[in-house]
Amino acid sequence: MAENTAPSASILFVSSPNEPAIELVEVESDAFGDLNLDQLVADVTAGRDQYELRPYFFTPLTSAAAVQFRHAVIQDLAQPRVRKSIHGFAEGMRAMRTLLAEADSLRYRQQKQRVALEAVTCYLRAVGGLASGFMDADLASSGMLRFRDQLDQYVASEAFSTLAEDADQTTDRLEQIRYEFLIEGGRISVFPLTEEADYSADVAATFSKFRQSEVASKLQSRQDPVAMNHVEAGILGLVGEVFPDQFDALARFVQKHAVFQSAMIARFDREVQFYLAYLEYLERIPDLATCLPTVTREPTSSVRDAVDLVLAAKLAGGAHPVVGNDFSLTGEERVLVVTGANQGGKTTFARAFGQLHYLAALGLPVAASSATLHLFDRVFTHFERQENLQNLTGKLEDDLLRVHAILQQASGESIVILNEIFTSTTVSDALFLGTQILDRIITLGALGVYVTFVDELSALGPGTVSMVAEVDPAEVTTRTFRIRRRPADGLAHATAMAARYGLTATRLRERIHA
């Protein structure tokens, strides 16, 4: 069937000469594991393998206009009527693919053709239902409006009308077939059904009192209801000989419409799942604050109530909800230097920082009540790893090599997140190395987070912002998971050492009273 040669409308990517072409990335970036984005994408796309959504999540956008394009589509998808229409469409398209797969797996020609016809019918209903649902919908995004225009043109096209008419006529002819068969010994004969009285209802009523209800027949077939055995296939072949015109029409239909799906419809079917998968993931997390962030190429980021989205999903419905934190980088500020007690939420904060920026660059809602986020060129991360015994370099050398590689590739548009590095060296060496690294990041103009136990790094100059993981003032061993913007108190390393050697207030009291 003829296909419209106009470019298919995309609801993910802006079609404009002012926007660079986007090439999908097929593999996740190195930062995915550190930021737990690999877990996020796995959870979001679970059960949707047929759509191959992962490359969309591996491909951040490069302009504020592209991000805003997706925001507008998401706002259209917030309308219940629109969502309902799309869900019905998606269900129909999944049923179509299931039938096509079944047709491919079947052995008998006439059955394959009949199932293929049913797949086309599912497709027609799905597309027609979507067009009907969108007809009076209050769409505002350029992506959805352009798709609706193309959808309306397609449904009104001669190609679609011909497909629908051919499918209806072929189905009607098949449904008019009525036959009876006679079994004589090992011989089966098939004849057109003659008009005779139907006594089946009377027979059923007569024998109803002998029915053994609620008892499953042991003779019930365990086969797939679509599959046929050789006897059924033989009867179908005989039926085809008795009604050749109807089955010839079926064969002609399948041959004529071997390729019937519109590329535009197939693209929408896939792309809309990117949005639905993520939005439904967010909807499964109760009381989660989300927003559509403002993105900017300027070196600035400001967020309220930021949370680690993966952690929020794990804690959903539990007794201890995830704690949100605020942060901002404006003016000359470039790096949040996070200090404070161990297990106080510093690493979680660093992950949240990275997740927010990455998800914002995908044009998706982020886990915060409000956010303005820098649109980066690349995200670089270095989180502490366990030593690899097969790696002949020491941990300090490994840290230095990895950080050097990051600084060689990073630019003034990058995000750099360094978490708990140089823990294997002395405080003085960690201070010296950390100072060199932070100076380099600030000179580049990149934005980032530097998590450390060295408090002095938080006060290097106007390019650094001190953030402290706070504890309960009444009991310093109790973590609040609040990360506050304030000067480092000099207690991070001391508290860690006291805990290591059993010298916290709690342990001392326990030993005094023992």
Side-chain angles (χ1 to χ4, degrees), residues 258-278:
V259 178
F260 61 89
Q261 295 185 62
S262 162
M264 177 264 298
I265 295 296
R267 180 173 192 170
F268 178 82
D269 182 40
R270 181 189 181 196
E271 290 187 347
V272 77
Q273 291 297 322
F274 169 80
Y275 294 109
L276 296 182
Y278 184 78

Side-chain angles (χ1 to χ4, degrees), residues 390-412:
Q390 296 180 342
N391 186 350
L392 299 181
T393 64
K395 188 172 185 309
L396 176 58
E397 184 177 356
D398 183 59
D399 283 344
L400 289 170
L401 290 172
R402 290 172 60 195
V403 172
H404 179 265
I406 288 172
L407 296 179
Q408 286 289 101
Q409 300 174 70
S411 75

Side-chain angles (χ1 to χ4, degrees), residues 146-270:
R146 183 165 181 250
F147 170 74
R148 183 170 65 181
D149 287 344
Q150 289 195 0
L151 175 63
D152 290 343
Q153 293 171 18
Y154 173 61
V155 171
S157 70
E158 181 180 353
F160 187 81
S161 298
T162 299
L163 178 65
E165 290 171 4
D166 289 354
D168 286 343
Q169 292 174 4
T170 305
T171 301
D172 288 344
R173 297 187 69 177
L174 290 173
E175 291 181 347
Q176 290 172 8
I177 293 176
R178 297 290 185 273
Y179 66 91
E180 57 186 349
F181 59 90
L182 176 65
I183 301 176
E184 294 179 309
R187 180 183 176 83
I188 300 177
S189 301
V190 174
F191 310 95
L193 181 66
T194 57
E195 295 297 331
E196 296 180 353
D198 184 0
Y199 298 103
S200 58
D202 294 335
V203 172
T206 300
F207 287 94
S208 61
K209 59 184 177 181
F210 303 112
R211 184 182 298 124
Q212 297 182 21
S213 59
E214 307 300 329
V215 178
S217 170
K218 295 182 179 180
L219 299 178
Q220 184 176 0
S221 172
R222 298 287 183 182
Q223 293 180 311
D224 184 330
V226 175
M228 293 194 306
N229 58 41
H230 69 285
V231 175
E232 294 169 323
I235 293 174
L236 178 59
L238 293 172
V239 173
E241 293 176 6
V242 175
F243 300 94
D245 292 344
Q246 289 87 335
F247 282 90
D248 287 347
L250 174 62
R252 289 193 301 272
F253 174 87
V254 172
Q255 182 178 16
K256 178 180 179 181
H257 301 291
V259 178
F260 61 89
Q261 295 185 62
S262 162
M264 177 264 298
I265 295 296
R267 180 173 192 170
F268 178 82
D269 182 40
R270 181 189 181 196

Side-chain angles (χ1 to χ4, degrees), residues 1 3 7-12 50-53 56 89-90 93-94 96-97 100 123 126-127 130 147 150-151 154 160 259-274:
M1 120 182 189
E3 178 66 74
S8 299
S10 174
I11 58 170
L12 284 183
Q50 61 187 295
Y51 298 107
E52 299 181 353
L53 299 177
Y56 294 140
F89 163 77
M93 294 293 285
R94 285 192 294 269
M96 177 205 70
R97 284 190 290 274
L100 289 176
Y123 172 78
V127 174
L130 184 64
F147 170 74
Q150 289 195 0
L151 175 63
Y154 173 61
F160 187 81
V259 178
F260 61 89
Q261 295 185 62
S262 162
M264 177 264 298
I265 295 296
R267 180 173 192 170
F268 178 82
D269 182 40
R270 181 189 181 196
E271 290 187 347
V272 77
Q273 291 297 322
F274 169 80

